[in-house]
Amino acid sequence: MSDLYIHRLTALIDQAAKANEEAFGEVASRFADSLQGGGLVHLYGSGHSVLPVQEVFPRYGSYVGFNPLTDPRVMWHNVLGAGGVRELLWLERTEKYAEKFLDHQPLNKGDSIIIFGHSGRNSSGIDTALYARKRGIFVVAVTSKNNLDKPATHSSGKRLADVADLVIDTCSPIEDAIVPVEGWSRPVSGSSTVLAMILAHELIARTAEQLAKRGIELPVFASPTIAGVTLHDTDVIYGVYRERMLEAQKKHLPTFQATMRGE
């Protein structure tokens, strides 16, 4: 077996599966509660942690009820210059910025949210967790507990894991990269994003299983390459998603209006 990336990654996957077994069950149950009640499971991340957000929904094999909170200003679109990495790295470390973005999102009491962040020290994820918890939202952090011995940089003195209701541990090493190369001073091939995606899919599956036990089936995106599935089926599911989002926006409206009045 290869002693490079795949071998090392699969070992981390096995480690994370064992480390999170109990948390998986509790998180899936709480997510199912939110979806059964007509609410949403929101997804948030910045930088490369936007990628697992996009991987969860919308995609084939996922279902209505997940809501990606994607802010283009904390996603890189270029390496340098406008929309580049240096901009987003600065912005995701700027406290209180995330609140301005979240004020316009339909986060309601009884919802859940997954916040992805490898180090768990960026203001973007911490502020999002604090914001959500104030509004009665169940907060799950997907982060690496290996970073917990690093000091907090947020003014609250907290890290993402400290302000979440439950933590899903990626088990990714602090340096993220996992392949040492002889003659090179630093390892290569990152692990945290891949691990976060795998753990997110585990939660997608376990939440669906929880809902099924309650007699609930939600519309699932299926590839039109499957016999009997058409592009129209996908449009129908987008329509169901839109209706659910409209209900969430309607529920959120009084909170939004109060925020705009400065209350």
Side-chain angles (χ1 to χ4, degrees):
M1 182 180 288
S2 169
D3 193 39
L4 292 177
Y5 184 73
I6 294 175
H7 175 61
R8 296 170 188 272
L9 182 66
T10 52
L12 285 172
I13 294 169
D14 288 340
Q15 182 182 345
K18 293 173 184 175
N20 294 295
E21 181 58 37
E22 184 176 345
F24 283 146
E26 187 169 350
V27 171
S29 179
R30 294 292 298 270
F31 284 3
D33 290 344
S34 293
L35 297 175
Q36 182 177 9
L40 297 167
V41 176
H42 307 279
L43 311 148
Y44 183 83
S46 62
H48 277 87
S49 291
V50 169
L51 298 177
V53 171
Q54 294 176 312
E55 173 68 8
V56 171
F57 190 85
R59 61 121 50 243
Y60 298 140
S62 190
Y63 44 90
V64 171
F66 291 102
N67 177 39
L69 301 171
T70 49
D71 181 352
R73 286 150 295 198
V74 290
M75 302 161 63
W76 62 273
H77 309 283
N78 295 298
V79 177
L80 300 174
V85 178
R86 293 182 74 240
E87 283 185 355
L88 87 82
L89 289 175
W90 174 80
L91 196 54
E92 72 177 354
R93 290 170 170 80
T94 301
E95 293 189 25
K96 305 298 182 183
Y97 165 73
E99 295 178 2
K100 303 306 177 186
F101 166 72
L102 295 169
D103 280 342
H104 299 266
Q105 307 304 318
L107 279 73
N108 295 306
K109 185 177 181 180
D111 285 354
S112 298
I113 186 169
I114 315 175
I115 304 172
F116 299 93
H118 170 62
S119 73
R121 299 203 302 164
N122 288 330
S123 297
S124 181
I126 296 168
D127 284 346
T128 298
L130 292 170
Y131 184 100
R133 290 195 67 175
K134 286 179 182 177
R135 285 154 181 78
I137 295 169
F138 175 65
V139 177
V140 176
V142 178
T143 187
S144 174
K145 288 185 177 180
N146 287 319
N147 287 292
L148 290 181
D149 61 349
K150 298 177 71 176
T153 54
H154 193 269
S155 62
S156 67
K158 304 290 186 181
R159 294 156 297 196
L160 178 58
D162 300 323
V163 294
D165 293 298
L166 274 177
V167 176
I168 298 293
D169 183 11
T170 64
C171 298
S172 179
I174 292 173
E175 59 268 31
D176 201 334
I178 58 175
V179 180
V181 178
E182 187 175 354
W184 285 39
S185 60
R186 295 179 177 178
V188 300
S189 298
S191 61
S192 65
T193 308
V194 181
L195 288 162
M197 289 182 177
I198 290 169
L199 296 171
H201 277 291
E202 183 71 21
L203 290 174
I204 290 171
R206 293 201 183 211
T207 302
E209 186 178 57
Q210 285 279 340
L211 289 167
K213 290 177 180 178
R214 304 178 190 188
I216 299 169
E217 181 179 3
L218 295 176
V220 178
F221 278 102
S223 171
T225 58
I226 299 171
V229 178
T230 68
L231 287 174
H232 176 67
D233 296 324
T234 300
D235 289 336
V236 170
I237 293 176
Y238 278 125
V240 175
Y241 169 75
R242 181 175 182 273
E243 291 299 318
R244 198 174 187 110
M245 290 301 297
L246 286 172
E247 286 300 313
Q249 292 283 7
K250 187 187 303 182
K251 186 177 179 181
H252 178 254
L253 183 58
T255 302
F256 172 74
Q257 291 172 331
T259 299
M260 294 301 99
R261 292 194 298 266
E263 298 176 6

